[in-house]
Amino acid sequence: MTESIINLDSINPIEFFGVNNGKLDLLKKKFPLLKILSRGTQLKLSGSAEEVNVASEKISQIVQYLERNGNLSENYFEQILGDEESVDSFKDRNPNEVLVFGPNGRNVKARTAGQKRMVQLVDKNDIVFAIGPAGTGKTYTAVALAVRALKNKAVRKIILTRPAVEAGESLGFLPGDLKEKIDPYLRPLYDALDDMIPADKLTYFMTNRVIEIAPLAYMRGRTLDHAFIILDEAQNATDLQLKMFLTRIGSNAKAIITGDMTQIDLPKNQRSGLEKASRILMGVDGIGNLRLDEEDVVRHRLVKAIIRAYDAAQEEEDQPRPYVNVQRTKLAE
């Protein structure tokens, strides 16, 4: 007779045991020759050495999955118990393409063809440019991929950055210290994180600089190793700023650069460096390029119509005007 005690301190026991112990019953059904007892956050297995070892391995895989994702359906729980493959293979072929299980059971996943392509490019490349109009989920998908990498322990930290460029307002006239002035520009990044990480854990990560949110200027002089880095609103970065950012990336790091070329807020005497950077780096091994369009918009249905209307108006403005030859006639005296 062999006994083994498994601690479930690293996960939510309710997610492991299931509602009314539904998942625990599945575990007992899978291993009928074992005596399985649960007490608090501990699981006690008793039986033959072979059975205990097999059950312990399956339980370990389930715990790893829950540590990464926080949530696991009964159907998926049963699949892991009945399959000889590792939990990593289940993660990779998740039929719902869930990137992150957020608080309150929220599932974050790629919702459009463009977003799914973005996930594929990030999996295959260390740097990805994702350029497209507002509402296409560029920032949200990028943050989800970063959180997934952190939960999977593929990186040690997440760095989120944006150029601090005013969209018609003056930064100097905003109230508060520098952090309070900058935070409104970084608010979309905070909002995305709120959807994906429980509040207490997010506070811990940010206090311990596991997740860092900072203006682009703060990246100068740094080497960003073992990190998942997102440069958001990159259309507001100059050529020199983008070159500076791209040359910060260190070993075992991934970066996503997102932007919308129709919403440049730079002063008239400065040019965006985003289009140039994505163009000259296209074809470089390890760098992916993605263009999203109105078909990837996941906001209100009218946003697609608004984007199309603005694009049509811009095309009309870009059309060369017909040349009109006006001849002056001299009036007879």
Side-chain angles (χ1 to χ4, degrees):
M1 177 74 68
T2 300
E3 290 188 352
S4 176
I5 296 177
I6 300 173
N7 287 308
L8 306 175
D9 296 331
S10 62
I11 60 171
N12 180 355
I14 296 174
E15 285 296 335
F16 183 90
F17 295 125
V19 178
N20 297 322
N21 286 333
K23 294 176 186 174
L24 180 60
D25 290 341
L26 290 174
L27 181 64
K28 291 179 178 179
K29 183 178 178 181
K30 174 65 180 178
F31 298 99
L33 301 180
L34 285 182
K35 184 177 181 181
I36 303 175
L37 300 175
S38 63
R39 179 174 296 177
T41 60
Q42 287 189 335
L43 200 63
K44 183 178 178 181
L45 310 180
S46 302
S48 69
E50 183 179 356
E51 285 280 303
V52 168
N53 288 338
V54 172
S56 296
E57 177 61 27
K58 291 296 183 182
I59 292 168
S60 175
Q61 291 180 4
I62 291 168
V63 169
Q64 287 177 42
Y65 189 97
L66 287 170
E67 285 176 342
R68 292 172 175 174
N69 302 292
N71 196 323
L72 181 63
S73 68
E74 282 195 10
N75 181 51
Y76 219 42
F77 186 97
E78 192 169 17
Q79 286 185 56
I80 294 176
L81 288 179
D83 201 288
E84 296 302 320
E85 302 175 18
S86 71
V87 71
D88 288 325
S89 61
F90 278 97
K91 173 178 68 66
D92 291 339
R93 48 188 184 85
N94 186 338
N96 296 319
E97 298 180 7
V98 175
L99 301 175
V100 178
F101 291 94
N104 303 317
R106 184 186 182 94
N107 294 343
V108 179
K109 56 186 177 181
R111 296 171 58 184
T112 70
Q115 291 174 11
K116 291 174 183 177
R117 176 65 179 151
M118 184 175 173
V119 173
Q120 293 171 351
L121 282 174
V122 171
D123 286 343
K124 295 177 181 177
N125 298 276
D126 289 334
I127 298 175
V128 171
F129 287 89
I131 300 174
T136 50
K138 304 180 300 293
T139 301
Y140 201 80
T141 305
V143 172
L145 288 165
V147 172
R148 182 187 70 170
L150 184 65
K151 287 189 173 184
N152 290 350
K153 299 180 182 178
V155 296
R156 297 175 188 168
K157 66 187 305 182
I158 296 173
I159 298 173
L160 310 175
T161 183
R162 271 185 164 195
V165 176
E166 299 94 335
E169 300 87 7
S170 176
L171 185 65
F173 286 98
L174 291 174
D177 57 20
L178 179 61
K179 182 180 184 302
E180 291 169 330
K181 289 175 187 286
I182 294 297
D183 272 358
Y185 294 93
L186 306 173
R187 189 68 253 172
L189 301 174
Y190 287 106
D191 290 342
L193 288 170
D194 286 340
D195 281 352
M196 302 174 198
I197 302 176
D200 55 343
K201 202 163 191 178
L202 180 57
T203 300
Y204 171 83
F205 283 156
M206 298 192 71
T207 302
N208 291 275
R209 301 180 69 81
V210 175
I211 296 179
E212 179 183 349
I213 303 179
L216 177 58
Y218 285 27
M219 299 298 107
R220 188 173 297 278
R222 299 180 61 181
T223 300
L224 308 175
D225 295 325
H226 307 288
F228 200 115
I229 314 132
I230 298 172
L231 171 56
D232 194 35
E233 298 287 350
Q235 77 276 2
N236 289 328
T238 65
D239 191 23
L240 289 176
Q241 285 176 324
L242 260 170
K243 182 180 177 183
M244 177 273 291
F245 171 79
L246 290 167
T247 54
R248 301 305 94 203
I249 297 169
S251 61
N252 193 36
K254 279 186 178 285
I256 301 178
I257 298 95
T258 70
D260 178 0
M261 294 307 300
T262 68
Q263 297 194 32
I264 298 173
D265 301 313
L266 288 167
K268 291 183 178 179
N269 62 340
Q270 293 184 348
R271 294 182 61 182
S272 170
L274 178 58
E275 192 65 43
K276 177 182 176 182
S278 65
R279 185 182 72 253
I280 66 175
L281 296 174
M282 189 175 294
V284 175
D285 186 34
I287 297 181
N289 248 292
L290 175 68
R291 291 297 188 274
L292 299 159
D293 56 33
E294 67 269 12
E295 295 304 318
D296 295 300
V297 171
V298 291
R299 292 181 182 169
H300 193 285
R301 63 177 181 82
L302 288 176
V303 175
K304 290 185 181 181
I306 291 168
I307 291 171
R308 290 193 187 107
Y310 270 92
D311 287 344
Q314 187 62 51
E315 287 179 10
E316 187 176 338
E317 290 178 11
D318 292 341
Q319 290 293 325
R321 296 177 180 274
Y323 176 73
V324 179
N325 186 15
V326 179
Q327 293 184 343
R328 294 186 178 181
T329 58
K330 187 176 180 180
L331 295 175
E333 291 181 358

